[in-house]
């Protein structure tokens, strides 16, 4: 498993629920957890402890001002911002002057990618990964469209881990950025960030890390992995809706930021923040870091969450398919599943009826990954976080195991031996690059295996993870390549082309 790095590698089946966390005491700090509803939707955003909301309200009452004045409320705003920079630096492993705040990861990524690309030349290349959330891909597609750059997608192994050999083969003298997700928001697979960053640097490229999903489950040290830019979202780890980035000062110091001319240029990170920050949310962020520290930090959180994930895997029946890696090794506790013969939407609706929250979606905003997983229609995503209890996990596995075939979907759907999964016209447009962007996409090179549920394959298509238990569908290796350019108009075979801009997504899974 050389391609995967996790702070909690190889714990596997030996994990147990002996924990330093006082789960009842933790849950008592969340008003939203007192109603009996079990939230398994952490990948889409976590619940927030009451103290975070109180800190936000207190800032609105006592620090409603802007920076730079000599009176009390303005001074408090400055203290909130400085504290947030220091706490973010400690959380991310960087210096306070390297921290950048913004409204969310996506907005930060669009702004910072455009800033980094000011000096790029036509024909320069950006590498992205097929594991990525589209918030880590679309900004590069847009700048490629504007500047005539090339975006190349790095493929995955069958188990959804990054194909490092494919990455190495695509690195070249024109590579300017290697952008990748540290952990998948869809299937939870973790990438060896240190190795990818080193390969990027060896090629003279920037290492650009989407840590949104990873930051909720594992400790981060930007310096240790060698990232030039890393972006995450506090609302994934019990904080407010914000984006926070850590950029290497030696790199950012060479950039010309997009900013209003009188705006501050010091500390360095503030040069890349536009307009007035949401200081009340920064106060909430400070309270979030205090909360995480108070429960023991990731030294306590990570092993507990991984034990929850193993408990979930062990509790499932043979009717439930997990996509991606078969165990907890090389992943965080996020799972994409389907139930044999039951549509994903119906699974989500039935669970909601019994007070359990999950989502059903098609791509999970991971367009490169979706093409290789093998299911058509939708799947169910389940994500655990440290406030989930073992009893909640048992409720969930019991409910999933007890689901019965729906009338509409009580039979196996056909397999697709030589073509990608069927994709609706609107979804196909979503998966294509903007017009005139030269983009190189991987397409499945071998037969795809469909998954259980809305489009289930024959049982032989599944790979057993253990006897009489959970089936795991591996992603198809994406080694075949196709070049897409709107100038050709050629859509034969697996050639992808587009004559229109990207439409708006059908759902809004924030990032």
């Amino acid at each position: 498993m050389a391609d995967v790095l996790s702070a909690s590698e190889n714990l596997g089946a030996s994990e147990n629920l002996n924990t330093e966390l006082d789960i009842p005491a933790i849950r008592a700090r969340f008003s939203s957890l007192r109603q009996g509803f079990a939230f398994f939707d952490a990948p889409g955003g976590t619940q927030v402890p009451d103290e975070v909301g109180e800190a936000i309200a207190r800032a609105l009452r006592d620090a409603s001002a802007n920076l730079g004045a000599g009176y009390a409320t303005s001074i408090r705003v400055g203290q909130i911002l400085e504290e947030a920079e220091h706490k973010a630096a400690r959380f991310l492993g960087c210096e306070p002057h390297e921290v950048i705040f913004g409204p969310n990861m996506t907005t930060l990524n669009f702004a910072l990618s455009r800033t980094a690309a000011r000096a790029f030349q036509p024909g320069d290349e950006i590498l992205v990964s097929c594991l990525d959330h589209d918030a880590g891909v679309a900004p590069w597609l847009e700048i490629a469209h504007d500047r005539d750059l090339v975006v190349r997608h790095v493929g995955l192994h069958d188990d959804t881990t990054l194909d490092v050999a494919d990455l190495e083969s695509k690195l070249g003298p024109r590579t300017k950025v290697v952008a990748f997700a540290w952990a998948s928001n869809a299937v939870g697979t973790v990438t060896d960030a240190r190795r990818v960053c080193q390969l990027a640097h060896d090629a003279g490229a920037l290492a650009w890390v989407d840590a949104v999903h990873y930051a909720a489950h594992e400790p981060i040290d930007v310096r240790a992995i060698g990232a030039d830019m890393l972006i995450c979202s506090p609302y994934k780890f019990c904080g407010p809706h914000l984006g926070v980035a850590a950029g290497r000062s030696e790199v950012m110091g060479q950039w010309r930021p997009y900013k209003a001319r009188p705006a501050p240029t010091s500390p360095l990170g503030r040069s890349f923040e536009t307009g007035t920050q949401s200081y009340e949310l920064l106060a909430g962020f400070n309270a979030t870091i205090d909360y995480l520290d108070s429960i023991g930090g990731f030294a306590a959180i990570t092993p507990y969450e991984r034990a929850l994930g193993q408990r979930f895997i062990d509790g499932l029946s043979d009717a439930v398919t997990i996509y991606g890696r078969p165990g907890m090794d090389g992943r965080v506790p996020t799972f994409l599943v389907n139930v044999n013969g039951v549509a994903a939407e119906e699974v989500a609706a039935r669970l909601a009826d019994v007070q359990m929250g999950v989502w059903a979606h098609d791509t999970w905003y991971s367009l490169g990954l979706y093409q290789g997983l093998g299911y058509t229609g939708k799947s169910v995503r389940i994500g655990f976080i440290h406030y989930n209890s073992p009893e909640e996990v048992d409720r969930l596995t019991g409910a999933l195991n007890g689901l019965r075939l729906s009338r509409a979907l009580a039979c196996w759907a056909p397999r697709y031996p030589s073509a990608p999964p069927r994709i609706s016209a609107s979804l196909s447009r979503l998966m294509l690059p903007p017009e005139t962007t030269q983009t190189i996409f991987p397409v499945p090179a071998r037969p795809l295996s469909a998954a259980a549920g809305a489009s289930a394959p024959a049982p032989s298509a599944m790979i057993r993870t253990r006897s009489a238990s959970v089936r795991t569908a591996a992603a198809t290796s994406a080694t075949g390549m196709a070049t897409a350019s709107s100038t050709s108009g050629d859509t034969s075979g697996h050639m992808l082309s587009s004559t229109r801009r990207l439409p708006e997504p059908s759902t809004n899974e924030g990032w």
Side-chain angles (χ1 to χ4, degrees):
M1 258 283 297
D3 291 355
V4 174
L5 173 69
S6 169
S8 303
E9 273 186 337
N10 300 321
L11 294 179
S14 65
E15 293 169 309
N16 57 62
L17 283 168
N18 292 332
T19 177
E20 299 176 11
L21 296 178
D22 184 342
I23 301 305
I26 287 172
R27 292 175 62 85
R29 295 164 75 167
F30 294 75
S31 292
S32 59
L33 301 181
R34 300 172 191 165
Q35 313 305 316
F37 192 91
F39 293 93
F40 302 113
D41 59 348
T46 52
Q47 300 303 298
V48 177
D50 294 352
E51 59 225 68
V52 172
E54 291 162 1
I56 293 171
R58 187 164 55 250
L60 288 170
R61 288 194 305 266
D62 300 337
S64 185
N66 214 322
L67 292 174
Y71 49 84
T73 51
S74 180
I75 292 170
R76 292 188 193 111
V77 165
Q79 292 169 341
I80 288 171
L81 176 56
E82 186 174 348
E83 180 184 354
E85 289 169 339
H86 280 78
K87 286 183 172 175
R90 179 164 57 84
F91 185 82
L92 298 174
C94 64
E95 296 297 323
H97 70 273
E98 296 177 312
V99 170
I100 306 167
F101 290 108
N104 50 65
M105 179 273 187
T106 304
T107 300
L108 276 177
N109 210 27
F110 270 102
L112 293 170
S113 61
R114 189 162 290 271
T115 302
R118 276 186 186 271
F120 293 178
Q121 300 299 316
D124 284 345
E125 298 182 357
I126 297 105
L127 302 187
V128 297
S129 140
C130 287
L131 200 64
D132 296 352
H133 186 286
D134 203 53
V137 177
W140 301 110
L141 291 176
E142 290 298 331
I143 194 64
H145 168 268
D146 294 344
R147 300 292 301 275
D148 195 22
L149 308 176
V150 177
V151 175
R152 295 164 65 84
H153 285 63
V154 178
L156 307 175
H157 294 296
D158 287 354
D159 65 353
T160 71
T161 55
L162 187 72
D163 186 341
V164 176
D166 189 44
L167 167 62
E168 292 175 315
S169 72
K170 289 182 169 68
L171 287 166
R174 300 299 301 270
T175 306
K176 296 300 181 182
V177 176
V178 177
F180 66 96
W182 199 343
S184 166
N185 70 293
V187 295
T189 303
V190 174
T191 294
D192 185 341
R194 184 184 293 112
R195 185 178 183 190
V196 175
C197 290
Q198 185 61 57
L199 288 170
H201 292 160
D202 290 346
L206 297 175
W208 203 282
V209 184
D210 168 3
V212 172
H213 201 65
Y214 188 88
H217 304 287
E218 301 272 0
I220 290 176
D221 189 333
V222 173
R223 289 284 182 269
I225 64 169
D228 297 299
M229 181 61 65
L230 180 145
I231 313 177
C232 64
S233 301
Y235 78 97
K236 304 288 186 173
F237 48 86
C238 301
H241 285 85
L242 280 171
V244 58
R248 189 157 62 91
S249 58
E250 295 86 349
V251 172
M252 292 195 299
Q254 302 176 39
W255 293 348
R256 179 184 173 190
Y258 288 93
K259 62 184 289 293
R261 288 171 294 175
T265 57
S266 178
L268 178 61
R270 296 187 197 179
S271 299
F272 302 94
E273 297 171 351
T274 55
T276 300
Q277 295 298 300
S278 297
Y279 299 117
E280 66 277 12
L281 299 185
L282 294 179
F285 171 77
N286 292 336
T288 302
I289 300 301
D290 290 342
Y291 160 75
L292 294 173
D293 288 344
S294 75
I295 64 173
F298 287 103
I301 290 170
T302 299
Y304 174 73
E305 289 183 349
R306 292 175 63 78
L308 287 182
Q310 191 64 51
R311 188 184 187 100
F312 173 72
I313 293 169
D314 292 341
L316 291 176
S317 76
D318 201 39
V320 181
T321 297
I322 295 178
Y323 301 95
R325 295 194 55 74
M328 285 306 300
D329 183 38
R331 65 148 70 236
V332 294
T334 299
F335 302 91
L336 211 59
V337 307
N338 267 315
V339 179
N340 180 13
V342 186
E345 301 97 315
E346 185 172 348
V347 172
R350 291 199 202 177
L351 290 177
D353 286 343
V354 291
Q355 299 296 290
M356 286 182 274
V358 300
W359 282 18
H361 196 257
D362 43 23
T363 69
W364 301 103
Y365 277 50
S366 297
L367 303 181
L369 175 66
Y370 172 77
Q371 296 177 75
L373 287 177
Y375 65 84
T376 57
K378 298 183 179 181
S379 59
V380 174
R381 186 177 63 183
I382 294 164
F384 302 112
I385 200 77
H386 63 267
Y387 54 64
N388 288 124
S389 69
E391 294 76 19
E392 287 182 324
V393 174
D394 294 344
R395 277 177 59 194
L396 176 61
T397 55
L400 288 171
N401 294 340
L403 290 174
R404 296 293 181 264
L405 301 182
S406 61
R407 287 188 296 274
L409 295 160
C411 61
W412 293 102
R415 295 178 63 194
Y416 297 89
S418 60
R422 292 177 296 177
I423 302 169
S424 68
S426 62
L427 183 57
S428 296
R429 290 192 294 271
L430 265 176
M431 299 170 75
L432 297 173
E435 59 188 63
T436 74
T437 301
Q438 183 186 2
T439 306
I440 299 177
F441 278 82
V443 295
R446 298 203 305 269
L448 294 171
S449 297
S455 301
S460 60
M462 300 302 175
I463 301 172
R464 296 274 180 179
T465 62
R466 60 183 191 280
S467 61
S469 189
V470 184
R471 290 187 301 230
T472 301
T476 300
S477 176
T479 55
M481 302 301 298
T483 300
S485 175
S486 64
T487 58
S488 70
D490 183 4
T491 58
S492 61
H494 291 319
M495 187 72 74
L496 302 179
S497 66
S498 175
T499 58
R500 66 180 66 195
R501 303 288 291 173
L502 292 174
E504 292 297 319
S506 58
T507 61
N508 182 23
E509 190 203 32
W511 203 239

